[in-house]
């Protein structure tokens, strides 16, 4: 009789190679507070004097003339402040975003800020084909954070379409931008992908100092500032996968002090779950059927050497439902093992 | 760079003094006063060296360095005593010093005057600190002697477009 039963993993939809669902959404959610804070601080004008402002200069002299004190004004010199074209882009993702291979519509988050001194519209471009990374994402779509909460909201935030809804930003104002793209199935654990967003001033960009006559906000010229009126920043995806391997062994102790699998002998089964990979497995459950022609020894489940009860109603991880034992391991990171034992007697 | 700039100013002054038009000086007054504003433009020469040229701009951008030149001349027939020249600084300009350092300034809209080092600035929260160039709102030159008939001069200060 073969008493080495079949171990299985249930309760986890994708037990082998199951992935941490730590998506970009969650990361973006924690970020939203910071992002909102930044947007709110638009009072100070770091961009400089607003484009179109007239600088008027008049000197004044006073003296005592023959008829008493005299005050005279000079001519007034008027100079108009041109529009300075400047933009910065920053990634709002604090670090690599953990994703699963094959995951679709994964979000990276950026902030585009008009650091110029006039109202300016910007063209946005996503680049998923950057060199120097391990794989490229596909089907990139840019969204604008319509409700300005720093978090991508499907159905709320609008798709960006170049030339039709280019964001127009006041001096020092920012807009949050999301790129949604798909992770290829072929990407493997530990691989990274760079996703870049660039923003270019529509009036013009290029070498700092380049001037666009008469095109400035406020009626003057538009002049390319130190940023080249072209900014870009990257976020990164990191594949964090984990897999579990289950090894089962059995030790027989008979009632005569020997190791013979005779009726009445006790079999101690040991299940060792080994988790590998850079990610974690969530909601990892391990179950094992009690083999036919054996009887489960009540309250015999252990996890890492500690006893678990048979009840499913209590808080501990173990249970026995009359036909199989089950142990809920929760989230287990790669590189760890979990050892479960239970006993049966041969009928 | 500085020598170049001063040369330029000298040239401009030489050109411009005769250009003080009678229209600027009102008939009843015997002192003419004119204001010119120049912007420093960096120009790269063929030999790769950068030269600073002064231009009379119609437009500027934040960060541009401006040179303000105030010219005065006693065009009347009597000396002008207790002569002083005041230039309120345009709001969009940060003071960047004068060429002669003989000016007095105000950091509170013309209420109190003195050399910058003798002034303090009171912040919105009531905190008092030594005044900085960026606090300056007015610049004034006081002449200790009277301006004799026919005498003239120019006053130069620098500022940066905020």
């Amino acid at each position: 009789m073969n008493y080495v039963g079949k171990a299985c993993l249930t309760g986890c939809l994708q037990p082998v190679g199951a992935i941490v669902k730590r998506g970009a959404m969650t990361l973006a959610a924690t970020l939203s507070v910071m992002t909102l804070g930044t947007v709110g601080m638009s009072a100070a004008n770091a961009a400089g004097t607003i484009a179109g402002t007239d600088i008027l200069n008049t000197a004044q002299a006073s003296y005592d003339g023959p008829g008493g004190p005299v005050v005279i004004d000079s001519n007034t010199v008027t100079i108009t402040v041109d529009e300075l074209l400047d933009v910065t882009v920053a990634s709002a993702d604090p670090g690599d975003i953990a994703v699963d291979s094959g995951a679709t519509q994964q979000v990276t988050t950026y902030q585009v800020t008009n650091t110029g001194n006039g109202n300016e519209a910007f063209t946005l471009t996503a680049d998923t084909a950057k060199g120097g990374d391990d794989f490229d994402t596909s089907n990139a779509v840019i969204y604008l954070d319509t409700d300005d909460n720093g978090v991508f909201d499907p159905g709320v935030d609008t798709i960006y379409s170049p030339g039709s809804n280019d964001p127009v930003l006041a001096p020092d104002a920012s807009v949050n931008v999301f790129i949604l793209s798909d992770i290829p199935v072929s990407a493997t654990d530990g691989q990274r992908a760079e996703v870049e967003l660039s923003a270019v001033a529509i009036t013009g960009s290029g070498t700092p100092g380049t001037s666009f006559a008469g095109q400035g906000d406020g009626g003057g010229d538009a002049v390319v500032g130190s940023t080249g009126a072209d900014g870009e920043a990257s976020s990164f995806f990191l594949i964090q996968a984990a897999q579990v391997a289950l090894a089962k062994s059995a030790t027989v102790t008979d009632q005569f002090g020997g190791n013979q699998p005779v009726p009445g002998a006790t079999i101690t089964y040991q299940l060792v779950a080994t988790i590998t990979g850079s990610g974690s497995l969530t909601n990892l459950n391990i179950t094992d059927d009690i083999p036919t022609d054996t009887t489960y020894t009540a309250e015999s489940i252990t996890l890492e050497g500690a006893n678990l009860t048979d009840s499913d109603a209590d808080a501990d991880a173990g249970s026995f439902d009359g036909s199989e034992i089950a142990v809920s391991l929760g989230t287990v990171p790669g590189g760890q093992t979990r050892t479960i034992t239970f006993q049966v007697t041969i009928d | 760079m500085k020598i170049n700039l001063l040369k330029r100013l000298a040239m401009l002054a030489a050109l411009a003094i005769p250009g003080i038009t009678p229209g600027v000086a009102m008939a009843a007054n015997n002192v003419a006063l004119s204001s010119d504003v120049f912007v420093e433009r960096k120009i790269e020469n063929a030999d790769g060296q950068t030269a600073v040229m002064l231009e009379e701009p119609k437009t500027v951008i934040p960060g541009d360095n401006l040179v303000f030149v105030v010219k005065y001349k006693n065009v009347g027939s009597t000396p002008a005593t207790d002569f002083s020249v005041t230039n309120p600084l345009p709001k969009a300009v940060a003071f960047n010093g004068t060429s002669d350092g003989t000016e007095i300034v105000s950091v509170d809209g013309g209420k109190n005057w003195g050399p910058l080092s003798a002034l303090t600035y009171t912040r919105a929260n009531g905190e008092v600190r030594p005044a900085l160039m960026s606090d300056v709102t007015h610049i004034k030159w006081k002449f200790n002697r009277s301006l004799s008939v026919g005498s003239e001069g120019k006053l130069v200060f620098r500022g940066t477009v905020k």
Side-chain angles (χ1 to χ4, degrees):
Chain A
M1 193 178 276
N2 179 7
Y3 291 109
V4 180
K6 172 172 59 94
C8 68
L9 297 161
T10 60
C12 195
L13 285 174
Q14 289 177 286
V16 174
I19 308 302
V20 207
K21 295 292 178 193
R22 262 193 292 147
M25 300 278 286
T26 321
L27 290 171
T30 49
L31 251 184
S32 62
V33 177
M34 287 165 52
T35 310
L36 283 172
T38 312
V39 168
M41 295 188 301
S42 55
N45 184 22
T49 305
I50 300 299
T53 303
D54 281 340
I55 297 178
L56 304 173
N57 192 65
T58 310
Q60 204 170 58
S62 69
Y63 59 92
D64 290 337
V70 180
V71 176
I72 57 163
D73 282 344
S74 74
N75 58 305
T76 297
V77 178
T78 304
I79 303 170
T80 305
V81 176
D82 279 337
E83 182 183 359
L84 205 50
L85 301 167
D86 270 318
V87 63
T88 59
V89 180
S91 167
D93 297 311
D96 289 356
I97 300 166
V99 288
D100 180 11
S101 58
T104 58
Q105 300 197 319
Q106 297 298 295
V107 180
T108 46
T109 307
Y110 310 83
Q111 191 174 46
V112 177
T113 304
N114 178 5
T115 52
N117 65 344
N119 291 317
E120 184 62 32
F122 297 93
T123 301
L124 307 177
T125 314
D127 185 358
T128 59
K130 302 293 289 181
D133 57 357
D134 302 315
F135 67 93
D136 294 333
T137 62
S138 58
N139 301 326
V141 178
I142 299 174
Y143 284 83
L144 302 173
D145 189 12
T146 307
D147 58 354
D148 196 28
N149 67 351
V151 182
F152 175 67
D153 302 302
V156 176
D157 295 332
T158 44
I159 290 187
Y160 167 70
S161 169
S164 70
N165 63 343
D166 298 314
V168 178
L169 299 177
D172 283 343
S174 297
V175 61
N176 298 315
V177 177
F178 309 104
I179 299 175
L180 271 64
S181 60
D182 298 345
I183 312 299
V185 178
S186 58
T188 56
D189 188 27
Q191 288 193 323
R192 289 176 93 217
E194 179 175 3
V195 179
E196 183 188 83
L197 177 75
S198 65
V200 180
I202 285 180
T203 301
S205 61
T207 311
T210 307
S211 185
F212 301 92
Q215 293 184 48
D217 191 25
D221 298 343
V223 181
V224 175
S226 57
T227 63
D230 180 351
E232 55 278 315
S234 292
S235 289
F236 293 86
F237 287 120
L238 174 64
I239 305 292
Q240 281 198 343
Q243 301 178 340
V244 61
L246 202 54
K248 183 170 181 175
S249 59
T251 311
V252 178
T253 312
D254 67 35
Q255 58 272 52
F256 312 111
N259 301 102
Q260 295 304 309
V262 295
T266 299
I267 306 173
T268 302
Y269 288 108
Q270 184 184 60
L271 303 170
V272 179
T274 303
I275 296 91
T276 55
S278 63
S280 298
L281 290 181
T282 53
N283 200 19
L284 177 62
N285 292 336
I286 292 179
T287 61
D288 199 358
D289 288 334
I290 303 305
T292 51
D293 300 322
T294 68
T295 302
Y296 171 69
T297 304
E299 306 291 338
S300 66
I301 306 168
T302 71
L303 171 62
E304 301 292 282
N307 288 317
L308 300 178
T309 66
D310 288 349
S311 167
D312 195 22
D314 58 15
D316 83 18
S319 64
F320 174 68
D321 68 356
S323 63
E324 64 175 24
I325 63 102
V327 177
S328 303
L329 297 176
T331 299
V332 186
Q336 296 197 1
T337 61
R338 293 288 185 272
T339 302
I340 295 159
T341 67
F342 65 95
Q343 293 178 336
V344 299
T345 54
I346 300 172
D347 296 341
Chain B
M1 211 162 101
K2 188 153 196 175
I3 291 166
N4 198 341
L5 179 66
L6 289 173
K7 256 191 212 162
R8 289 263 153 205
L9 284 173
M11 281 170 60
L12 286 163
L15 286 170
I17 289 292
I20 293 182
T21 52
V24 174
M26 290 179 206
N29 299 320
N30 64 355
V31 174
L33 190 67
S34 76
S35 170
D36 290 296
V37 183
F38 302 92
V39 64
E40 289 182 6
R41 301 269 192 230
K42 282 185 182 154
I43 291 168
E44 201 168 319
N45 293 333
D47 59 3
Q49 285 187 319
T50 307
V52 177
M53 308 289 278
L54 287 177
E55 292 175 8
E56 263 187 291
K58 286 260 188 301
T59 61
V60 291
I61 54 172
D64 271 349
N65 292 318
L66 304 178
V67 178
F68 294 78
V69 180
V70 180
K71 291 183 288 265
Y72 57 88
K73 182 173 186 178
N74 187 344
V75 295
S77 55
T78 55
T81 56
D82 201 15
F83 182 68
S84 71
V85 174
T86 306
N87 198 131
L89 206 58
K91 259 198 173 138
V93 175
F95 183 54
N96 212 359
T98 64
S99 60
D100 55 11
T102 59
E103 81 285 0
I104 56 173
V105 297
S106 172
V107 296
D108 54 10
K111 279 187 219 126
N112 297 294
W113 296 90
L116 185 64
S117 58
L119 298 177
T120 56
Y121 180 83
T122 307
R123 285 173 152 158
N125 63 6
E127 199 182 317
V128 177
R129 60 160 170 78
L132 303 172
M133 283 235 234
S134 53
D135 302 325
V136 171
T137 61
H138 290 66
I139 304 147
K140 181 186 271 190
W141 290 265
K142 290 184 81 140
F143 293 75
N144 292 324
R145 53 185 174 76
S146 64
L147 191 62
S148 59
V149 173
S151 68
E152 61 189 18
K154 66 185 169 69
L155 303 162
V156 179
F157 68 97
R158 297 164 144 274
T160 305
V161 181
K162 289 190 209 170

